[in-house]
Amino acid sequence: MGMTITQKILADHTGKKYVEPGELILADVDMVLGNDITAPVAIKEFYKSGCKKVFDRKKIALVPDHFAPNKDIKSAQQCKTVRDFAREQGIENYFEVGKMGIEHALLPEKGMVVPGDLVIGADSHTCTYGALGAFSTGVGSSDMAAAMMMGKIWFKVPETIKFIFNGKLNPWVTGKDLILYTIGQIGVDGALYKAMEFSGEAITSLSMDERFSITNMAVEAGAKSGIIAPDQKTIKYVEERSNKPYNIYESDDDAEYSEIFEFDCSQIEPQVALPHLPENTVGISSIDHILIDQVVIGSCTNGRIEDMRAAAKILKNQKVHPYVRLIIIPATQEVYLQCIKEGIIEIFIEAGAVVSTPTCGPCLGGYMGILAEGEKALATTNRNFVGRMGHPKSEVYLSNPAVAAASAVMGRIASPEEVIKNAV
Amino acid sequence: MLFKSEIIKCGDNVDTDVIIPARYLNSSDPKELAAHVFDDLDPNLKQKIKKGCILVAGKNFGCGSSREHAPIAIKASGISCVIAVSFARIFYRNAINIGLPILECKEAVEEAEEGDEFIVDFETGKIQNVTKDRSYNAGGFPPFIKEIITKGGIISFAAERMKQNV
Ligand code: SF4
């Protein structure tokens, strides 16, 4: 029986020739990730257990990004816990303010994850690295602690659902729209416990940045992981950033899938997820006059350089609507710096946006743009749950960066075409 | 592990943001977390939680973020066990890893009404609805997971392995 790319990576990390879906395994990990919210809990558990040393100080990544730069005294304490632990254990991949970025944008950028790796992170969007052809998944703090101790973690080998995207993308449609559309089709539990494998001509045509947006949101369909088989673009991306040896895996032709979906991209327009679940997606053309108070462009889903360029393309020589607050957050220092070099930050500020240092900030209702009762925001983030960005009676809509930027200009959820057309 | 209690019910897709809102995540103290459990879902729900009570939930319980604070808050609130149609996978792991007993059983959930009396045998996965005089089998855990649970959670399991390796 053939194996999927996911089965192959798991088998190799368990020292087995074959693993089947449903099987429980104890696998070796290549990278263990934690942030300022989840790592302190793991660190406490680590010490409580009596353990003195992490299994491998090169294979742990600590990224304070959620409430960093420290938003209040409690967050400062949490960041300090992480920092003290990193210094004491000599953790190589600890990222202080000034070097840090949103973890899931940062790890690939720094070449810390390569194809064929098995990565766990105490953060649900750890599934992002599947775009590199790695198996990566979010776990809890105890898992993180146990993995820092043993270098191993238990898994149930997931079944895989295959998604094939045929055809070419329509104008303004991005990887973000493909994943929103997919979640709209299968629902927020449509891939529960499973791996999502994305393939097809439309996926091949996407840049790495857009592929990351897709695998990033696999968890929003309940999936354990999302994965895209590596190709020349993947290899180029990795070789520019990493010296780590990598392994290219591919699914066998006779691999078994629990389901296969085929989508025709010519039918997909830019998507918007309405409150309060990412599955409430509709095409932009069916949105009718939804006024917004805030737009956020950033996060581990859409805070990369191409996202910034897409927003800048719309915002050039435009002004943010007087009733809208536009908050733009490049995901990492490298993205931020690149934006400065390309004159993108200037475009943002001239348009009337505020630009922040890399942080998760408003994405999870932390800080840097919390919503008041009754307010509506359009964000390029990944979750629009009740209270996600502030008051329980506020609302979050999700979209790609170009739609978000256009909406900031129009003061209502709008298609990029409206702005580009008006600009002429 | 045997649990006997009245049940409280909640619906489908209860996410970790309503189990414990992110604004309280700057603490990891179980008591503090328990004080805010379900705040954004239904402020009345917390009043109904009695020590040892069983929570019966719909599908995809615990979806959303990986915060372990969610099962910790539930456990610290006094809930002894959660039965759901299905759990979001990270929540499922976290619950096992911190020792919150959970079971998946669609029929038991669908036929249950708020206030029904349940008896749950966690070892065998047997669930009894005493009020309705019905019993169900949610299936026990595979041996691998049981070992983690008998060792008192993933940390003790890991600590023990570390000792053996040294
Ligand atoms: S940007 Fe948002 S979704 Fe991504 S890691 Fe930060 S809080 Fe989580």
Side-chain angles (χ1 to χ4, degrees), chain A residues 24-26 37-38 40-41 44-46 49 51 53 67 71-72 74-75 78 121-124 137-143 145-146 149-150 152-156 188-189 192-194 219-220 222-225 277 279 364-365 383 385-388 390 392, chain B residues 13 15-18 21-30 32 39-41 59-61 63-69 72 85-90 92-94 96-98 104 141-145 148 153-163 165:
Chain A
L24 281 156
I25 56 168
L26 200 58
I37 293 183
T38 56
V41 185
K44 211 166 87 187
E45 298 278 352
F46 179 87
S49 77
C51 196
K53 274 271 161 235
F67 296 156
K71 90 172 170 106
D72 55 19
K74 279 187 173 173
S75 330
Q78 285 189 292
D123 189 278
S124 55
T137 189
V139 298
S141 297
S142 297
D143 278 316
M149 294 160 72
M150 318 186 261
K152 288 179 190 295
I153 180 155
W154 66 269
F155 287 118
K156 205 178 212 176
V188 290
D189 62 349
L192 198 59
Y193 304 125
K194 298 186 177 155
V219 65
E220 259 58 68
K224 176 177 260 174
S225 57
L277 284 176
E279 69 181 18
L364 78 164
R383 290 195 174 134
F385 300 152
V386 172
R388 175 76 179 175
Chain B
N13 299 320
D15 64 74
T16 52
D17 275 291
V18 297
R23 56 184 181 277
Y24 303 119
L25 296 186
N26 50 13
S27 166
S28 52
D29 173 33
E32 215 170 299
D39 268 9
D40 288 357
L41 177 67
K59 62 172 183 169
N60 201 24
F61 184 83
C63 60
S65 89
S66 67
R67 65 191 70 153
E68 209 156 81
H69 308 65
I72 291 175
V85 172
S86 61
F87 292 93
R89 63 158 285 274
I90 301 180
Y92 181 90
R93 294 189 73 87
N94 288 346
I96 289 170
N97 287 340
I98 65 130
E104 289 186 329
F141 274 104
F144 194 88
I145 304 289
I148 295 178
I154 187 72
I155 299 296
S156 326
F157 175 84
E160 192 145 311
R161 283 183 73 99
M162 296 311 294
K163 265 190 235 134
N165 288 352

Side-chain angles (χ1 to χ4, degrees), chain A residues 211-231:
Chain A
R211 295 182 194 182
F212 285 121
S213 307
I214 294 183
T215 46
N216 173 270
M217 287 190 74
V219 65
E220 259 58 68
K224 176 177 260 174
S225 57
I227 198 155
I228 297 171
D231 59 11

Side-chain angles (χ1 to χ4, degrees), chain B residues 3 5-10 19 34 37-38 41 45-57 61 70-83 87 91 98-102:
Chain B
F3 310 107
S5 164
E6 277 184 11
I7 62 152
I8 50 178
K9 275 197 91 166
C10 63
I19 295 174
V37 73
F38 299 128
L41 177 67
L45 192 64
K46 203 163 43 199
Q47 267 63 59
K48 294 193 237 164
I49 300 175
K50 290 191 210 88
K51 201 173 162 21
C53 79
I54 296 166
L55 178 66
V56 173
F61 184 83
I72 291 175
I74 292 176
K75 196 179 173 199
S77 76
I79 289 171
S80 63
C81 159
V82 186
I83 301 168
F87 292 93
F91 184 91
I98 65 130
L100 171 70
I102 52 169

Side-chain angles (χ1 to χ4, degrees), chain A residues 65-66 102-104 123 125 299-301 360 363-364 382 388:
Chain A
D65 56 357
H66 280 57
I102 299 172
E103 49 197 319
H104 308 306
D123 189 278
H125 293 99
S299 86
C300 59
T301 318
C360 294
C363 171
L364 78 164
N382 45 46
R388 175 76 179 175

